[in-house]
Amino acid sequence: MFKRFRRTRINENLRNMLQETTLSKNDFMYPLFVKEGSNIKKEVESMPGVFQMSIDEIIKECEYIYSIGLKSIMLFGIPDVKDSVGSECLCEESIIARTIKAIKQKVPDMFIATDLCFCEYTDHGHCGILDPKTKTVDNDKTLELSAQQALVHAKAGADMIAPSGMMDGIIEVLRTTLDSNGFENLPIMAYSTKFASAYYGPFRDVAESTPSFGDRRTYQMNSANRLEAIEESLEDEKQGADILMVKPALAFMDVIRDIRNSSNLPLCAYNVSGEYAMLKHAGNAGLVDYEKVMIETLIGFKRAGANMIITYHAKEACEFLNKN
């Protein structure tokens, strides 16, 4: 006799009890982009609903999202002044440091993770310091300055450091630096499996971080490489990462599952700008039911094995969960 799966689907209450994967407001981290100035809230054309904001507007946004149960953000900085080594992000009054302090004063329990990279701060738009001879990123010199940047974030009150530049050895260097300066309890979320992806296009609009030449394939991963992806994450685990990550998420569900099966560390899926923009524009054009596809996509990341999700949908997802 064949099995009747409909027996456990017909009644809504039973169907809900048996749902294997669920979403919670605690699953989400919301990217925010802070820009110098005041009274700035500039929507990004390629990403409807995403804004560049000055510190005063960031505070208003944090007060609102905290009120709806969204208590975790990822902070990115957009400075006025850029140079070849990203000097602005190395000073103790950097835009990120000032923003952290301002948020903590008004919304003290907001969990603030900081993106640690140089692409937003350098005039060439690459994720580290360039070797003048080869015009490629000098991995080891970038590690030295990354340690300085991490201390700026830690001293300002960041709750977690997330180095996104894909420099070899970055987790070990940051862990050693933080521990030796009294920040041994500050967690590091590794961008442990980050692909050189075309899905990042709209992010470069909002973060103003498009490389002035070349691309990032010499330090970000080849999107065709599954085994290397697992190895990258396991290496960061050995170096002391507290949370691993797969970025992008939507086209890399297999890699999320591979890493989930290979490591017991918490795993984050980064639902990136291109993924968000495609869904937003499709919804605005009436091609899909935006809310339903959004929730289905986010559940997909959890089902694949992610414990948490960085997503531009976070605020809308929390509003949806509050209503439903």
Side-chain angles (χ1 to χ4, degrees), residues 139-158:
N139 190 93
D140 295 357
K141 287 184 179 179
T142 301
L143 292 181
E144 295 174 16
L145 293 185
S146 296
Q148 294 181 37
Q149 188 182 167
L151 285 179
V152 169
H153 293 189
K155 291 175 181 178

Side-chain angles (χ1 to χ4, degrees), residues 12-306:
E12 182 180 3
N13 292 330
L14 181 59
R15 190 168 65 243
N16 290 339
M17 281 191 286
L18 298 180
Q19 181 168 316
E20 297 175 20
T21 307
T22 59
L23 286 177
S24 160
K25 290 179 283 187
N26 294 324
D27 293 333
F28 305 124
M29 180 174 282
Y30 190 34
L32 291 176
F33 299 85
V34 61
K35 190 173 178 65
E36 292 284 9
S38 60
N39 300 314
I40 296 171
K41 190 173 183 180
K42 180 183 177 183
E43 189 171 22
V44 180
E45 185 176 353
S46 59
M47 297 179 69
V50 175
F51 299 84
Q52 296 177 333
M53 289 181 275
S54 50
I55 294 177
D56 54 323
E57 293 293 335
I58 287 274
I59 291 170
K60 293 176 187 177
E61 185 75 351
C62 286
E63 289 174 331
Y64 172 71
I65 64 174
Y66 195 86
S67 75
I68 64 171
L70 178 51
K71 301 178 180 180
S72 178
I73 64 171
M74 171 73 82
L75 198 58
F76 297 84
I78 307 168
D80 277 347
V81 178
K82 303 186 180 192
D83 61 24
S84 62
V85 297
S87 301
E88 200 279 340
C89 70
L90 303 174
C91 64
E92 296 201 356
E93 289 302 312
S94 70
I95 188 170
I96 287 290
R98 285 181 281 122
T99 305
I100 295 169
K101 294 173 186 176
I103 294 171
K104 288 294 185 181
Q105 186 174 15
K106 294 292 186 179
V107 194
D109 293 329
M110 179 64 74
F111 185 89
I112 304 175
T114 56
D115 176 76
L116 191 152
C117 196
F118 289 92
C119 60
E120 300 105 316
Y121 303 95
T122 54
D123 52 14
H124 48 73
H126 279 281
C127 298
I129 311 310
L130 296 182
D131 182 324
K133 295 181 180 179
T134 64
K135 296 295 183 183
T136 58
V137 172
D138 187 316
N139 190 93
D140 295 357
K141 287 184 179 179
T142 301
L143 292 181
E144 295 174 16
L145 293 185
S146 296
Q148 294 181 37
Q149 188 182 167
L151 285 179
V152 169
H153 293 189
K155 291 175 181 178
D159 296 299
M160 184 161 68
I161 305 293
S164 63
M166 286 295 287
M167 296 299 112
D168 293 332
I170 185 69
I171 303 302
E172 181 177 330
V173 167
L174 295 188
R175 188 73 274 159
T176 300
T177 300
L178 292 170
D179 289 359
S180 62
N181 284 274
F183 296 103
E184 61 274 3
N185 291 322
L186 188 65
I188 298 173
M189 177 165 60
Y191 280 68
S192 52
T193 297
K194 180 180 178 182
F195 295 97
S197 172
Y199 280 100
Y200 303 149
F203 172 87
R204 292 166 187 168
D205 293 339
V206 64
E208 299 180 6
S209 62
T210 303
S212 60
F213 66 92
D215 54 41
R216 296 176 176 145
R217 287 183 294 177
T218 61
Y219 45 97
Q220 293 179 359
M221 284 191 53
N222 185 334
S223 61
N225 290 4
R226 171 177 167 264
L227 298 179
E228 184 186 6
I230 301 171
E231 187 176 6
E232 282 266 15
S233 278
L234 294 181
E235 174 61 25
D236 279 1
E237 179 174 357
K238 290 177 186 176
Q239 290 182 27
D242 299 287
I243 302 173
L244 303 177
M245 182 196 295
V246 176
K247 179 184 181 183
L250 191 59
F252 300 91
M253 296 282 203
D254 59 322
V255 176
I256 295 174
R257 173 49 56 185
D258 283 335
I259 294 172
R260 175 74 292 145
N261 291 341
S262 302
S263 173
N264 292 325
L265 283 185
L267 179 59
C268 176
Y270 198 140
N271 179 209
V272 301
S273 60
E275 298 166 357
Y276 168 86
M278 288 191 300
L279 185 48
K280 262 294 183 183
H281 288 293
N284 290 341
L287 301 176
V288 298
D289 183 318
Y290 172 73
E291 278 194 342
K292 289 181 179 179
V293 177
M294 172 185 71
I295 295 300
E296 188 174 329
T297 300
L298 297 173
I299 286 175
F301 301 143
K302 292 286 298 292
R303 189 182 64 248

